[in-house]
C-alpha cells in the first residue's frame, strides 16, 4: 500500500533539450510554437480543402483528412505541454498527466501507422483493380477501416497505460525528453517491469512490423501493375497517385527507425530526444506540404479555398 501511495505522489521532470542552458529557452519556445502553428494550420487547410471541394470526396482524400486530423492531435499531445513548461520555467508533470500523455501518444502514433497502411491498401486497389475500385472501396468499407484503426489504437493504448499505472515510483524522476516516452517512464519504476517490457516488445512487433509488411506488399503489387502499363504517360500517371503517400511513409518510418537505432547505438538520452522530435513534431508538420506540393487536386482545392476566404474578407469587413 505504501508503494501505491508513492505512485500517487510521484512527479516527473521533463528535462527537454536545454536543462543546463536557460538562455536559449526563449528560442526553443519560439521555434516549437512556430512549428506547432504551422502543423495545426497546415493540416486544418488540408481538411477544409477536402470538405469544401466535392471532387475530393473520394476514399483516398477521406483517409488523408483523417491522417491530417490525427497529426494535429498527435502534435497537440506533446508540444503544448512543453510550451507551458518553458513559459512557466517548470519541468514538472504529474503522474496522472504523464500517464495520460503516454496514452494519447500511443493512440495517435498507432493511428498514424494504421492510416498509412490503409492508404497503401487504397492505392493498391486503385491501381491494381481500377474497374472495381468504387465497389471495393465503398463508403461502408472505408468507415469500417477507420473504425478498425481506432479500435486497435485505443485497445493498444489502454493496455500499455493500464500496465504503467500498476508500477510504483519511489522518488521524483527525471525524464530526458520533452514528453513522457513510455519506455523511459517504465524503466524509471522501482517495481518489476518484466511484463511491461514484454508487452512493449510484442506490441511493437505486431503493430509496427505488421503494418509495414502490408505497405511493402501493397507497393510490390503496385510496382508490378505499373510495369505492365505500356505507355510512359500511363506509368507516370499511376505512380504520381502514390508519390505523396510513399513520401510520407518513408519520412515517418525513417524517422521512427532513427529513434530506435539512436537509442540502441548511443546511450546519450538527448540524442534520442532529438530523434524523437523528428517523428512527433517535424513529420506531422511536413505532411501537408508533401501532399499539397505533389498533388494537383489538393493544390487546386487549396487555391479555391484560400480564394474564397480572401474574397469574403473585404465583404465582411466594416466600411
Amino acid at each position: 500500500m505504501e508503494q501505491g501511495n508513492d505512485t500517487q505522489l510521484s512527479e516527473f521532470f521533463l528535462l527537454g533539450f536545454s536543462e543546463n542552458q536557460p538562455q536559449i529557452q526563449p528560442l526553443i519556445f519560439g521555434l516549437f510554437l512556430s512549428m506547432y502553428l504551422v502543423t495545426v494550420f497546415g493540416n486544418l487547410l488540408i481538411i477544409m480543402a477536402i470538405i469544401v471541394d466535392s471532387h475530393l470526396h473520394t476514399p483516398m482524400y477521406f483517409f488523408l483528412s483523417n491522417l491530417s486530423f490525427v497529426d494535429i492531435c498527435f502534435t497537440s499531445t506533446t508540444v503544448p505541454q512543453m510550451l507551458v513548461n518553458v513559459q512557466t520555467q517548470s519541468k514538472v508533470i504529474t503522474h496522472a498527466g504523464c500517464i495520460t500523455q503516454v496514452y494519447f501518444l500511443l493512440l495517435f502514433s498507432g493511428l498514424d501507422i494504421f492510416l498509412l497502411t490503409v492508404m497503401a491498401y487504397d492505392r493498391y486497389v486503385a491501381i491494381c483493380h481500377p474497374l472495381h475500385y468504387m465497389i471495393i472501396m465503398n463508403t461502408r468499407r472505408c468507415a469500417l477501416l477507420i473504425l478498425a484503426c481506432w479500435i486497435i489504437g485505443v485497445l493498444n493504448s489502454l493496455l500499455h497505460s493500464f500496465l504503467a499505472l500498476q508500477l510504483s515510483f519511489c522518488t521524483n524522476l527525471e525524464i530526458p525528453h520533452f514528453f513522457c516516452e513510455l519506455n523511459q517512464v517504465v524503466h524509471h519504476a522501482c517495481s518489476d517491469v518484466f511484463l511491461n517490457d514484454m508487452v512493449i516488445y510484442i506490441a511493437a512487433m505486431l503493430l509496427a512490423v505488421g503494418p509495414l509488411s502490408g505497405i511493402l506488399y501493397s507497393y510490390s503489387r503496385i510496382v508490378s501493375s505499373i510495369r505492365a502499363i505500356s505507355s510512359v504517360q500511363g506509368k507516370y500517371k499511376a505512380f504520381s497517385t502514390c508519390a505523396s503517400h510513399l513520401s510520407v511513409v518513408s519520412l515517418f518510418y525513417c524517422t521512427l527507425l532513427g529513434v530506435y537505432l539512436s537509442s540502441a547505438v548511443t546511450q546519450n538520452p538527448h540524442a534520442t530526444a532529438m530523434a524523437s522530435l523528428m517523428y512527433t513534431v517535424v513529420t506531422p508538420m511536413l505532411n501537408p506540404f508533401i501532399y499539397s506540393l505533389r498533388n494537383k487536386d489538393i493544390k487546386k482545392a487549396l487555391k479555391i479555398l484560400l480564394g474564397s476566404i480572401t474574397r469574403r474578407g473585404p465583404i465582411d469587413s466594416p466600411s
Side-chain angles (χ1 to χ4, degrees), residues 107-318:
L107 173 61
F108 293 122
S109 61
L111 283 170
D112 253 340
I113 293 172
F114 302 145
L115 284 171
L116 289 174
T117 307
V118 169
M119 292 171 77
Y121 172 70
D122 172 73
R123 291 300 83 206
Y124 156 72
V125 176
I127 293 175
C128 299
H129 305 283
L131 299 179
H132 300 93
Y133 176 70
M134 294 309 300
I135 298 174
I136 297 174
M137 300 303 295
N138 54 63
T139 303
R140 182 173 179 272
R141 175 163 295 186
C142 291
L144 287 175
L145 287 170
I146 294 296
L147 181 61
C149 292
W150 277 92
I151 290 174
I152 297 172
V154 167
L155 291 177
N156 176 60
S157 303
L158 282 175
L159 176 60
H160 287 294
S161 302
F162 175 77
L163 292 176
L165 282 171
Q166 309 308 307
L167 299 175
S168 299
F169 301 92
C170 305
T171 58
N172 292 330
L173 304 166
E174 294 183 345
I175 298 178
H177 261 290
F178 63 97
F179 62 90
C180 288
E181 197 268 333
L182 176 63
N183 200 49
Q184 290 280 345
V185 173
V186 166
H187 287 101
H188 278 85
C190 57
S191 54
D192 182 45
V193 297
F194 175 77
L195 180 59
N196 298 74
D197 282 336
M198 288 298 296
V199 172
I200 289 172
Y201 293 139
I202 292 172
M205 290 296 295
L206 293 177
L207 302 182
V209 177
L212 180 59
S213 300
I215 292 172
L216 293 176
Y217 173 77
S218 296
Y219 273 103
S220 67
R221 297 294 301 273
I222 287 171
V223 170
S224 298
S225 296
I226 291 177
R227 290 178 62 186
I229 299 174
S230 56
S231 67
V232 176
Q233 185 178 2
K235 289 182 178 181
Y236 176 79
K237 184 178 179 181
F239 179 76
S240 64
T241 64
C242 304
S244 299
H245 175 259
L246 193 58
S247 300
V248 171
V249 168
S250 302
L251 181 63
F252 183 81
Y253 272 97
C254 286
T255 53
L256 195 61
L257 183 63
V259 171
Y260 288 100
L261 287 178
S262 65
S263 60
V265 173
T266 179
Q267 298 300 317
N268 185 356
H270 297 292
T272 304
M274 290 299 296
S276 300
L277 171 68
M278 292 299 296
Y279 83 92
T280 56
V281 180
V282 176
T283 300
M285 180 185 68
L286 292 179
N287 285 353
F289 293 100
I290 293 174
Y291 275 103
S292 61
L293 292 175
R294 300 184 65 92
N295 189 303
K296 293 181 179 178
D297 294 331
I298 289 290
K299 284 195 288 187
K300 182 179 177 181
L302 286 173
K303 287 180 181 178
I304 295 172
L305 175 64
L306 294 174
S308 64
I309 292 174
T310 54
R311 283 195 299 271
R312 289 176 185 175
I315 296 174
D316 295 337
S317 61

